[in-house]
Amino acid sequence: MPARRPSSRRPARPRPAPLTARTADRYRLYLDAVQDPPTEVARLSRLYHRLRRRHARTLREDFCGTAGICCDWARSRAGRTAVGVDIDPEPLAWGTRHNLSGLTDGQRARVRLVRGSVLSSRIARLGRFDVICALNFSYWVFRRREIMLRYFQRCRRALAPGGLLVLDFFGGSEVLTELRERTRNRGFTYVWDQADYDPVSGDWTAHIHFEFRDGTVLRRAFTYHWRLWTIPELHDLLADAGFRRVRVLLEGDAAGGGGDGVFRERRRGQADRSFIAYLAAER
Ligand SMILES: C[S@@+](CC[C@H](N)C(=O)[O-])C[C@H]1O[C@@H](n2cnc3c(N)ncnc32)[C@H](O)[C@@H]1O
């Protein structure tokens, strides 16, 4: 194929420089490697519509980080509003600069980002929501039973009638081991590092590293100190918090191994090395 000559009117776009740990943006890498906000929004929308036979309008995204889900929520339907809550101003600022800036003025006016702990009474007064979500397992930052219970109670009170609290979950025998898993992406490798697990307390530490083709590494770009919870523990806590029903949605198996991305409500699961689930708790 002949080399394409740049047109005289439009200057050729410079090729993006290869990624390196010296200049890479850890939030951009995280978004590319881990997140898929349009798929999450479609899942939340479908789930609410299946259970309530109407479209959810209001969303609170807890532990929102860079608020990708808030933005796709506002994009997904006219009139939808989203509130993102995070304790750390840095990802909120990144989300404002890179994610909210991609919205139209009308969409942006329907997204509000709030800095604060999801446990605080100020956050509890932000309004009533059709859906509250806490995704990428962020709520596991609460390691004590009474704190998790308080979080669930506050979420329940902040839900509108018919509202849903949606949590994701991962489990399986591999979660209980220390391991490193590498996934190649465009221009970098994402490394999930389950570094430490204490079976007595359930405390668990994982890091995300990013490796680049030039041999540089962004070590510990993100670190999580969580407790490993089980579905029955969370189910009991949600019931204690007053939720009238908790549904467990498990992912189906893909033909070539791994999950197929389709989550269905199940009353029983099966032993697996690793799996993802969603818990949907009804107010
Ligand atoms: C794993 S990131 C999740 C980002 C995003 N939700 C996602 O789906 O990838 C966890 C986020 O939780 C935030 N966080 C931790 N404790 C919090 C708390 N008590 N209240 C609000 N946000 C908190 C952190 O600042 C961080 O941005």
Side-chain angles (χ1 to χ4, degrees):
M1 192 195 285
R4 287 222 233 156
R5 270 208 234 125
S7 121
S8 53
R9 280 187 297 167
R10 212 156 23 118
R13 273 232 202 114
R15 261 181 193 223
L19 287 169
T20 164
R22 281 183 278 276
T23 53
D25 177 339
R26 66 184 183 130
Y27 292 111
R28 171 67 60 202
L29 299 170
Y30 179 84
L31 183 58
D32 291 349
V34 176
Q35 292 182 298
D36 185 359
T39 300
E40 295 291 2
V41 167
R43 258 185 211 133
L44 295 173
S45 303
R46 260 199 314 272
L47 181 61
Y48 186 93
H49 192 265
R50 183 168 68 77
L51 298 178
R52 299 287 168 260
R53 295 286 151 209
R54 61 176 192 267
H55 293 292
R57 210 177 58 81
T58 52
L59 172 79
R60 193 178 92 191
E61 184 190 2
D62 282 356
F63 310 96
C64 70
T66 58
I69 291 174
C70 287
C71 292
D72 271 293
W73 185 263
R75 254 189 215 110
S76 61
R77 284 188 83 79
R80 275 190 160 174
T81 60
V83 175
V85 181
D86 202 284
I87 206 165
D88 185 349
E90 191 180 275
L92 291 175
W94 195 97
T96 303
R97 201 163 49 250
H98 298 277
N99 287 336
L100 269 80
S101 61
L103 298 178
T104 64
D105 290 347
Q107 292 163 349
R108 202 176 314 120
R110 291 187 274 109
V111 176
R112 179 176 171 204
L113 301 188
V114 181
R115 179 186 170 194
S117 169
V118 295
L119 288 175
S120 75
S121 45
R122 190 167 60 86
I123 299 305
R125 290 194 297 270
L126 285 174
R128 297 280 208 99
F129 300 88
D130 294 329
V131 178
I132 297 179
C133 67
L135 300 181
N136 267 324
F137 328 108
S138 317
Y139 61 105
W140 289 6
V141 73
F142 301 135
R143 292 186 274 179
R144 294 205 341 251
R145 190 185 187 283
E146 63 273 23
I147 305 288
M148 192 64 97
L149 178 62
R150 193 187 315 156
Y151 172 57
F152 289 164
Q153 286 168 331
R154 295 209 154 178
C155 286
R156 188 179 165 280
R157 270 185 242 128
L159 284 170
L164 295 181
L165 170 65
V166 182
L167 310 164
D168 59 2
F169 178 92
F170 75 96
S173 54
E174 273 183 1
V175 173
L176 306 175
T177 60
E178 292 164 6
L179 59 78
R180 272 185 183 215
E181 199 178 78
R182 291 188 150 68
T183 311
R184 286 189 75 150
N185 278 267
R186 274 171 74 109
F188 68 95
T189 298
Y190 163 81
V191 184
W192 175 244
D193 176 5
Q194 294 180 189
D196 186 60
Y197 170 57
D198 168 6
V200 175
S201 62
D203 287 356
W204 188 88
T205 297
H207 309 285
I208 291 175
H209 318 289
F210 297 107
E211 298 172 347
F212 302 92
R213 298 224 179 101
D214 66 355
T216 59
V217 182
L218 199 54
R219 272 182 57 72
R220 299 191 177 184
F222 297 95
T223 291
Y224 306 108
H225 298 294
W226 287 339
R227 166 168 164 182
L228 271 195
W229 292 89
T230 64
I231 291 179
E233 283 171 322
L234 294 169
H235 194 292
D236 289 351
L237 277 170
L238 289 161
D240 289 353
F243 285 94
R244 64 184 173 84
R245 180 160 180 182
V246 181
R247 297 168 192 266
V248 179
L249 292 93
L250 296 178
E251 192 176 16
D253 294 326
D260 65 0
V262 180
F263 290 83
R264 292 214 168 79
E265 191 177 342
R266 301 275 180 224
R267 287 181 192 275
R268 278 189 65 83
Q270 57 191 32
D272 210 336
R273 279 190 303 157
S274 80
F275 68 91
I276 305 274
Y278 286 83
L279 306 186
E282 299 181 49
R283 180 177 182 268

